[in-house]
Amino acid sequence: MSSDQPTEQAAMKSASTEEKGHPRRDLLLSIGAFVVYALFSFAVVLSPNLSLWRQALSAKGRPPASQQPLDITLLHTNDTWGYIEPCG
Amino acid sequence: MGGVARRATIIRQERSKAQHTLVLDAGAALMTDRDPAKRTLGKSSVEAMNLMGYNAMALGLLDFAPLTLDELRERMAEAHFPMLSANAYISDTRELFAQPYVVLDIADHHVGILGLTDAGSTPYIVATDPLEAALKWMPELRSKADIIIVLSHAGLEADGEIAEKVLGIDVIVCGRNVPLTQPRVVGRTGTVLFHSDVAIVGEAGRKIGVAYLSFDSEGQLTKHDWRNVTLAPDIEADPEMNGWVLTQVAASLESSQ
C-alpha cells in the first residue's frame, strides 16, 4: 500500500500539472479558432465585393468633375423590329 | 398601338420640356417580318430613327441576322447615330464589328454609352459574354465619362449580373423581351435598369420609356423618375413623321404590285 502512495501522489501531481496546462492551451486553441473563423467570415462577406474593389482600385479615375448638376430626359425603346405603323 | 408618328410626338414633347435629352434604342430595331423594313433591309428603320433624332443604338443579334455585314455597314453609314456593340466580333477575323461605345458631351458632362449584344452567333458574327465585355471596356470608358449608360440587348439575367458586378454604371437600358415593368435598382452598385416593351409578332414599337435622371456635379445619379408611355390612339401623330410613314406605305404598295 505504502508503495502505491508515491505513485499515486506522482499521478496526482502529474494530473495537477496537466490541469494547469489546459487553460493556456485552451486559450490558444480558442484564439486560433476565432482567427480562422474571422478570416473565413471575411472571405465569405468580401468575396462578392472583391471584383468591385479591384475595379475601384484599377479605375483610371473619372474626368474632372463638372461644376453643375445635370438633368437628362432619357427616352428609350427596344425591339421595335422596324415596325413603323400602329399595330395590335 | 405604336407607330413611329406617335413616338415622334412623345419625343418632340419631351424635348420641348427638357434642356437635355437622349433618345436611345436597346437593339432589334432594324427589321423583322414587315415592310418597309423588310423590303428596304432596314433602311427605312434607320431613316425613321434619323428623323426622330436618336443618339445611339445597341446592336442585337436580330439586327445582324437578316443582313450581310456589308448591308449592315451600309445601314450604319446611313445612320446619324452610332450603332454600338462591345462584344460582337466578325467570325472570320475576330475583329470587333462596331464601335463599343460613344462619349457624348452634354453641358459640361461626358456621357459614355456602351453597347452590348446578346450572346450567340450568326453566320458572320460571334457575340461573346456581355459581362466579360462590360468588365473589359468599363475602365477605359470610366476614364473618359463621368456618366455611364449601358445600352444592352443581352437579356435581363445578363443585365442583372452586369449591374451587380460592374462598377460605375449609372443606368442600363435593357432590350429583348424581359419581365421588367418597373425600374430596378441594384443596391450594391446603385445601377438602375429600365426596360420598355415586349414585342410579339405583329406587335412591336408600341411603347417608349421616359426616364427623368438627375446627376450631381460629379456625375453621380441622385434621382430618377420613370414612366412607360403606350403609344395609344389618343396620342396625336407627328405630322412630319406621319407624312414620311405614308410615303413608305405607298412605296411598299407600289413594289408589291
Side-chain angles (χ1 to χ4, degrees):
Chain A
M1 292 289 279
S2 62
S3 63
D4 292 331
Q5 285 181 351
T7 304
E8 187 175 333
Q9 285 176 350
M12 287 175 65
K13 188 176 180 182
S14 174
S16 175
T17 304
E18 286 178 3
E19 283 175 1
K20 283 182 184 174
H22 282 167
R24 193 176 300 129
R25 186 180 67 187
D26 287 347
L27 178 62
L28 290 173
L29 283 174
S30 299
I31 292 172
F34 175 77
V35 170
V36 169
Y37 173 76
L39 287 173
F40 178 75
S41 298
F42 272 124
V44 168
V45 169
L46 295 180
S47 59
N49 295 320
L50 279 175
S51 175
L52 292 177
W53 287 13
R54 270 200 297 271
Q55 293 174 58
L57 289 172
S58 67
K60 294 180 186 177
R62 288 187 163 183
S66 166
Q67 298 294 312
Q68 299 296 326
L70 178 69
D71 290 335
I72 295 177
T73 295
L74 168 59
L75 297 117
H76 61 95
T77 52
N78 62 276
D79 300 86
T80 56
W81 290 1
Y83 284 27
I84 63 170
E85 294 181 88
C87 52
Chain B
M1 303 297 178
V4 293
R6 293 177 190 153
R7 196 194 315 170
T9 293
I10 297 300
I11 292 172
R12 175 170 43 83
Q13 288 176 349
E14 292 297 328
R15 278 206 177 107
S16 71
K17 294 187 295 185
Q19 189 173 10
H20 305 290
T21 56
L22 279 173
V23 186
L24 305 175
D25 186 273
L30 297 183
M31 63 176 281
T32 50
D33 61 322
R34 281 207 174 173
D35 284 346
K38 186 177 176 184
R39 176 177 56 81
T40 64
L41 302 180
K43 187 180 176 105
S44 59
S45 305
V46 173
E47 279 184 30
M49 294 171 78
N50 284 344
L51 286 170
M52 288 183 279
Y54 272 74
N55 296 104
M57 169 189 159
L59 287 165
L61 281 183
L62 203 55
D63 297 304
F64 286 104
L67 302 172
T68 66
L69 293 186
D70 283 341
E71 287 166 345
L72 184 51
R73 287 189 182 101
E74 286 178 24
R75 299 294 87 80
M76 294 166 77
E78 292 157 1
H80 299 169
F81 53 89
M83 297 187 192
L84 306 171
S85 177
N87 62 319
Y89 294 84
I90 301 171
S91 302
D92 292 345
T93 64
R94 295 292 170 171
E95 292 174 348
L96 209 54
F97 174 75
Q99 64 186 93
Y101 63 81
V102 65
V103 180
L104 304 177
D105 292 337
I106 299 180
D108 47 3
H109 289 264
H110 307 292
V111 180
I113 303 173
L114 182 78
L116 293 173
T117 302
D118 34 334
S121 63
T122 74
Y124 311 109
I125 288 289
V126 172
T128 58
D129 180 20
L131 172 62
E132 283 182 14
L135 286 167
K136 174 184 174 180
W137 287 101
M138 275 299 292
E140 181 175 320
L141 190 53
R142 284 209 303 274
S143 73
K144 299 179 181 180
D146 60 316
I147 295 169
I148 293 177
I149 298 169
V150 171
L151 268 183
S152 175
H153 205 72
L156 187 59
E157 186 177 345
D159 292 340
E161 199 177 7
I162 290 166
E164 288 274 349
K165 295 180 179 178
V166 182
L167 198 63
I169 298 174
D170 296 291
V171 166
I172 299 178
V173 177
C174 304
R176 294 182 71 182
N177 289 346
V178 299
L180 185 66
T181 57
Q182 291 295 322
R184 178 189 293 180
V185 181
V186 173
R188 188 202 306 272
T189 56
T191 302
V192 185
L193 285 75
F194 299 113
H195 179 262
S196 180
D197 200 7
V198 173
I200 59 175
V201 174
E203 297 182 31
R206 299 168 301 174
K207 298 184 181 183
I208 182 168
V210 185
Y212 304 101
L213 308 174
S214 295
F215 298 90
D216 66 16
S217 59
E218 293 186 352
Q220 296 295 312
L221 182 64
T222 56
K223 186 182 172 190
H224 69 271
D225 289 304
W226 179 85
R227 63 191 184 106
N228 204 10
V229 179
T230 299
L231 301 175
D234 63 335
I235 296 174
E236 185 183 346
D238 179 85
E240 180 186 356
M241 202 70 213
N242 200 50
W244 177 86
V245 170
L246 292 174
T247 61
Q248 294 297 313
V249 171
S252 290
L253 285 172
E254 193 175 325
S255 72
S256 66
Q257 288 172 352

